[in-house]
Amino acid sequence: MTSRLRFWVIFQVVLVIFFARLSCSFKAKSAIGDPGMKRDNLRVAIEAWNQCNEVYEEAPNMGSPRHADCFDLQKSNNRSNKNNVLAAKLVHLVNEFDNKLSINDAKSLGQYYLNVDMYAAWKELFLGYKCKVQDEPKPWNFWMIMLKSGNMDTTAAICPRNGIPSQPFAQIPRFPCFGKGCMNIPRIYHDYSTLHSHRKHPKETKLKGGFHGTWELDADMSTAKTRNDTSFFSLEFHHVLKTSSKYPWLMHYLRSDATTGFSGGYHYETRGMSKIVPKSPNFKVRFTLDVIKGGGPRSQFYLMDIGSCWKNNGQPCDGDVTTDVMRYSEMIINPDIHTVSPGCNPKENLKLCPIYHTFANGTRVHRTDEARFPYDAYHMHCSPGNGMYLEEPFNHCDEYSNPQAQEILQILPHPVWGWIGDPRTWELDVGRLSQSLYFYQDPFTKPAERHWPSIDLGTEIYVSSNQLAEWVVSDFDIIVTDE
Ligand SMILES: *[C@@H]1O[C@H](CO)[C@@H](O)[C@H](O)[C@H]1NC(C)=O
Ligand SMILES: *[C@@H]1O[C@H](CO)[C@@H](O)[C@H](O)[C@H]1NC(C)=O
Ligand SMILES: *[C@@H]1O[C@H](CO)[C@@H](O)[C@H](O)[C@H]1NC(C)=O
């Protein structure tokens, strides 16, 4: 009961991922375009994915599911106006026409060969170009907000299986679907950022804006937020996610993605915020997170979700979805998660434990070493469906929920990761952590270099209707400590 209370009460988490080595010649620097989310000139974009991270069909009259709110605040020092108010105006870089672009516009833009999935990827590059900020060592684009529904119509065989075209099969409980069209993209509405004068301090101005929407295509948007059994999301860096019985499995993350190349879970070129892609073990991540509502016992609230891609032979991914493997490491902070799924343990669920744990001093312990293996530090490990030499017993990852095969390691707050002291202020050594985590590789192959093009936080509410999560992220930064 106490652990439940701890999660529901507003709390503050400061996550600091320590650097493993501090080289004297290298000055720690931010890897992202907007360190600490301090810029007035905001850059934010939103994307929606179906179960296999594609579009398949746009929501009616919504355009392709990529939208952006990017603006520059122009201040003028004209204080001759009578209130002596500092004059400022917003110059929006992405207009409504850009945000509404849909596959129906592809031909008039000369994009004859794009299907609806490729068009969304194209639109992201277009919005990225409009929002681009020149910087060193590379220009950057925007924060990315991801929305994803886990619904899957297995009878329609829309999603490939481990990157290979799939066959239809009868609906099973593992994949929620209320019937035809269950994999729809949400309706997304945009409140363009605007300047308002502060009610209490009229000489000050504040910015307001955001996105909101619902997956229920027929719901009344004005009541979706409060109406029972209606999915809803909103964000202004204050995030809300609500599930319904038709849409019980929803994800909503804030992502810092690489500005070029593929980012976590995707096999198209993307745009993002990380002008430097952090590499294990030389980076730390820092942010403040207020969890206001946890999202229920099956909410996999990710304090940190890092995504990368490499092949089973250790080579970097190249877009060939049959051999590329997405690798995720997710730290779940919902203390109730064990009450709904017991997770990794040596007696009943050894298959959910990674093969090895590596301690900070480099000592590696096999998962059958019951005296020394820290089972409580792990929730779940699943292996890539195309791994040829997996050690028994194993647990294959969801074969359908990515364009390619995937491997996931879900971990829990535990002293072995460097947790210190008061649970409100957590310090975590993730640069080192991400280096030492077990991920599958074919025997006798050179270990993959671990670059993390996607660093996210947010929640995945796993198959449970009418759950509500609400949280605020601030001060986000990724600091690289060596290159
Ligand atoms: C400064 O503000 C005054 C009063 O609002 C206005 O008349 C004037 O045109 C402004 N000057 C400039 C340079 O914007
Ligand atoms: C909300 O809707 C669900 C699904 O229809 C139902 O089971 C539940 O009782 C409803 N809750 C309230 C408070 O009406
Ligand atoms: C490394 O750390 C582990 C866990 O704290 C401990 O059991 C082991 O003895 C240590 N090994 C060495 C060589 O210090």
Side-chain angles (χ1 to χ4, degrees), residues 18-31 276-284 450-451 478-483:
F18 268 106
F19 26 104
R21 277 180 291 144
L22 235 190
S23 124
C24 301
S25 59
F26 188 88
K27 204 162 167 287
K29 63 184 176 196
S30 178
I276 300 170
V277 175
K279 181 180 164 200
S280 303
N282 303 313
F283 68 97
K284 56 178 176 169
R450 297 184 174 184
H451 299 267
I478 302 171
I479 297 126
V480 288
T481 53
D482 204 348
E483 275 176 320

Side-chain angles (χ1 to χ4, degrees), residues 62-136:
M62 286 290 137
S64 182
R66 300 289 185 277
H67 307 265
D69 192 324
C70 300
F71 56 80
D72 288 332
L73 185 65
Q74 284 190 353
K75 291 176 192 162
S76 79
N77 283 325
N78 183 359
R79 288 184 178 270
S80 63
N81 51 21
K82 58 178 183 299
N83 293 328
N84 199 26
V85 171
L86 182 67
K89 64 172 186 179
L90 290 189
V91 180
H92 279 279
L93 307 177
V94 178
N95 61 30
E96 206 161 330
F97 177 82
D98 302 330
N99 273 324
K100 286 272 178 209
L101 283 175
S102 101
I103 185 68
N104 301 327
D105 303 308
K107 289 206 174 67
S108 64
L109 296 165
Q111 304 297 332
Y112 297 98
Y113 61 94
L114 300 183
N115 65 25
V116 70
D117 297 331
M118 293 154 76
Y119 184 79
W122 176 87
K123 186 174 173 187
E124 181 170 333
L125 302 191
F126 172 71
L127 297 175
Y129 167 78
K130 290 226 142 183
C131 297
K132 184 158 88 175
V133 178
Q134 289 302 338
D135 203 349
E136 291 301 325

Side-chain angles (χ1 to χ4, degrees), residues 228-229 245 465-466:
N228 185 35
D229 212 25
S245 48
S465 310
N466 292 298

Side-chain angles (χ1 to χ4, degrees), residues 264-265 305-307 326-330 402 406-409 439:
D305 177 353
I306 55 180
M326 270 305 307
R327 321 275 170 166
Y328 297 101
S329 163
E330 301 165 338
N402 264 250
Q406 59 172 341
E407 176 172 22
I408 303 175
L409 190 54
F439 282 104

Side-chain angles (χ1 to χ4, degrees), residues 422-463:
D422 180 350
R424 279 159 182 264
T425 305
W426 290 338
E427 290 189 344
L428 180 62
D429 186 345
V430 172
R432 176 185 68 76
L433 181 156
S434 58
Q435 173 85 327
S436 65
L437 292 177
Y438 170 83
F439 282 104
Y440 172 78
Q441 245 187 262
D442 293 338
F444 313 113
T445 54
K446 187 165 165 266
E449 280 202 349
R450 297 184 174 184
H451 299 267
W452 301 97
S454 186
I455 301 211
D456 320 335
L457 73 147
T459 192
E460 167 167 12
I461 301 183
Y462 184 66
V463 198

